[in-house]
Amino acid sequence: MEKLRKVVNEIAYTQDHAKLSSLNRSLLPLLTVASFLYRVTLSLRRYLYHFGLFSKQRLPVPVISVGNLTWGGNGKTPMVEFIAQWLADSGISPLILTRGYAGGDEARMLTRHLLGTSSKIGIGANRAATATCFLKQYGYLDPKSFLFEGMWVDQTVRSPLNFGKIGAVVLDDGMQHWSLDRDLEIVMVNGLSPWGNHQLIPLGPLREPMAALRRADVAVVHHANLVSKQSLKDIELMMKEVKESLPVFFARMSPSHFFEVGNINFRIPLDVIQDAIVLCVSAIGSANAFVQGIEKMGAFYVDRIDFTDHHSFQTQDIEMIMIKLRDLEGKFGFKPVVIVTEKDYDRDPEILSHLSPFKVMALCSELQIIPHRQQSKDVFTELLKELLEMKWSGPK
């Protein structure tokens, strides 16, 4: 299954199918049919929602959806964390709704990063039902108590009586989750590989046609620090062709520290890998961004083993990684270090301990808005405030 996923991913991000191997090209007719059926199903689902045959549930608090048009590597979860932290810092308790996909690695990472804040995390495929349970358990704030005449937070919101009440919902991977109504739609775009071959899954990486950008209120191009200015300009222009008024921001992952597997509470500085031999091991949507980030930290040599997004490491994977580590040790004469992402660590921290005696460290990073043409973190959060106030200014 892992090999098939890699083949499908290669096809999805290859513009010229003539460059594919004969084996990969043999899969094109099957993937084309599957993509057509997916398009028909998507259109039918959109029709059923449009004419009210499928209903959308409206929550009594603002809902901010963070989603994307393509599979994996777009920075959805870091943006969810960014927004939840911003809301909590503003005195508004956020509820994050996530599917808990692939064992809940993203939910565990969010829980650790937001520990000590007023954030709550609800896990379940039926996000509306999960939200209803949390709202019933914790209560909720009247949005007009903090979205009022341009005022974001007042003393009423911060009062002890309101402590812990949910003030807003952040919907993780919500762009295609149409059963829950939302007030803001933030679409994340992977700057390193934005649209692939422009085909719908599984022939391409698109979960919806590009026209779906018309539903977005804000777009954020992620990994923008790893992309040329011309490429960023091209991505922005393509989105503006679909929706001219769409505000576009740029973001990056900013590394903060490492922690060693088995000792998560001890922060290790980034310069520990300077002049080291490093093996990057990841099962994420954008392995290239992860590897490029490690290369910029000054390692002497960087090698890599990539798995598909959300892949759970198995015994045979550990054996393959050990073979690569011993090869690197034999080549350079001293032990390499393994670097994984936090998401990989949270998926199954126990199995990574089987790479002993080689050291395994996880890289911790946070999303940052990159200042660009008067677009900054403050401008971004102010825009979110304004859009929420506009949505809730009328009767609900």
Side-chain angles (χ1 to χ4, degrees):
M1 183 59 73
E2 176 69 9
K3 289 183 179 179
L4 178 60
R5 288 176 180 171
K6 286 186 175 181
V7 168
V8 171
N9 189 74
E10 182 182 350
I11 293 171
Y13 285 98
T14 301
Q15 299 282 353
D16 184 2
H17 286 166
K19 296 180 179 179
L20 295 170
S21 68
S22 57
L23 176 61
N24 289 4
R25 286 199 302 272
S26 69
L27 292 175
L28 290 177
L30 177 62
L31 294 177
T32 300
V33 172
S35 182
F36 171 77
L37 294 175
Y38 176 81
R39 181 185 293 273
V40 172
T41 303
L42 195 66
S43 298
L44 177 61
R45 185 164 170 255
R46 188 183 299 113
Y47 174 89
L48 293 172
Y49 274 104
H50 179 74
F51 288 97
L53 298 174
F54 282 179
S55 61
K56 292 186 178 183
Q57 183 168 337
R58 157 60 67 178
L59 297 180
V61 295
V63 175
I64 303 173
S65 168
V66 180
N68 59 357
L69 289 183
T70 62
W71 62 43
N74 297 273
K76 295 187 305 295
T77 303
M79 177 56 75
V80 166
E81 179 186 335
F82 177 95
I83 292 173
Q85 185 69 61
W86 163 63
L87 289 168
D89 290 345
S90 300
I92 300 165
S93 297
L95 168 62
I96 297 172
L97 296 177
T98 179
R99 291 179 303 173
Y101 183 69
D105 50 2
E106 293 164 344
R108 283 193 286 272
M109 187 173 69
L110 287 168
T111 299
R112 185 171 61 254
H113 286 194
L114 296 170
L115 187 67
T117 74
S118 59
S119 305
K120 301 167 182 63
I121 300 177
I123 303 173
N126 189 334
R127 260 73 74 85
T130 303
T132 300
C133 289
F134 272 78
L135 292 169
K136 184 176 181 180
Q137 179 180 355
Y138 293 98
Y140 61 90
L141 292 173
D142 178 356
K144 293 187 178 180
S145 67
F146 58 90
L147 295 173
F148 181 71
E149 294 182 355
M151 296 176 63
W152 185 239
V153 176
D154 61 20
Q155 295 305 312
T156 304
V157 175
R158 293 187 183 275
S159 73
L161 291 175
N162 288 324
F163 181 78
K165 290 184 178 179
I166 295 167
V169 164
V170 186
L171 184 58
D172 186 16
D173 195 10
M175 193 164 186
Q176 288 77 40
H177 190 79
W178 298 343
S179 62
L180 188 61
D181 210 352
R182 72 284 315 275
D183 301 283
L184 280 185
E185 190 81 74
I186 300 173
V187 61
M188 302 295 295
V189 178
N190 185 350
L192 287 170
S193 49
W195 324 115
N197 59 13
H198 294 261
Q199 300 296 321
L200 290 176
I201 59 175
L203 180 61
L206 289 177
R207 300 165 75 177
E208 290 188 73
M210 293 289 292
L213 283 171
R214 298 191 189 109
R215 302 201 311 270
D217 297 292
V218 181
V220 179
V221 181
H222 196 37
H223 302 309
N225 59 310
L226 303 176
V227 183
S228 70
K229 291 182 179 180
Q230 185 58 51
S231 294
L232 290 175
K233 184 177 180 180
D234 292 342
I235 294 170
E236 187 172 8
L237 286 173
M238 186 171 291
M239 289 192 288
K240 293 282 189 179
E241 287 178 1
V242 179
K243 185 176 181 179
E244 187 176 356
S245 62
L246 184 65
V248 178
F249 291 81
F250 296 156
R252 67 186 288 257
M253 291 305 293
S254 176
S256 57
H257 66 279
F258 297 106
F259 65 78
E260 191 170 352
V261 170
N263 192 8
I264 191 172
N265 295 318
F266 183 70
R267 295 168 66 102
I268 302 172
L270 298 174
D271 60 9
V272 73
I273 66 167
Q274 283 189 1
D275 300 323
I277 307 301
V278 173
L279 177 62
C280 293
V281 178
S282 65
I284 56 176
S286 186
N288 287 337
F290 170 52
V291 174
Q292 287 182 40
I294 295 296
E295 288 173 340
K296 288 187 174 183
M297 294 180 195
F300 177 76
Y301 180 82
V302 178
D303 209 333
R304 62 194 288 178
I305 297 179
D306 304 336
F307 298 89
T308 56
D309 197 14
H310 293 292
H311 173 77
S312 294
F313 298 133
Q314 306 296 320
T315 302
Q316 59 267 30
D317 300 325
I318 297 299
E319 292 171 354
M320 178 178 65
I321 296 169
M322 288 293 285
I323 292 172
K324 173 66 78 171
L325 288 169
R326 293 190 183 105
D327 287 345
L328 290 172
E329 184 179 17
K331 180 178 180 180
F332 292 99
F334 56 94
K335 278 185 167 44
V337 60
V338 179
I339 305 292
V340 300
T341 70
E342 274 193 277
K343 185 176 167 181
D344 295 308
Y345 167 83
D346 281 310
R347 195 174 305 114
D348 191 350
E350 177 59 31
I351 198 167
L352 292 172
S353 65
H354 296 167
L355 291 172
S356 178
F358 296 96
K359 180 182 288 189
V360 183
M361 297 191 300
L363 175 65
C364 299
S365 304
E366 63 179 11
L367 183 140
Q368 290 183 345
I369 301 295
I370 300 174
H372 173 73
R373 292 204 310 248
Q374 287 78 52
Q375 304 286 56
S376 64
K377 174 184 175 181
D378 290 341
V379 173
F380 180 70
T381 53
E382 283 298 321
L383 176 61
L384 298 189
K385 291 179 189 179
E386 292 172 8
L387 291 171
L388 285 175
E389 288 167 357
M390 287 172 56
K391 294 289 180 74
W392 283 83
S393 59
K396 287 284 177 179

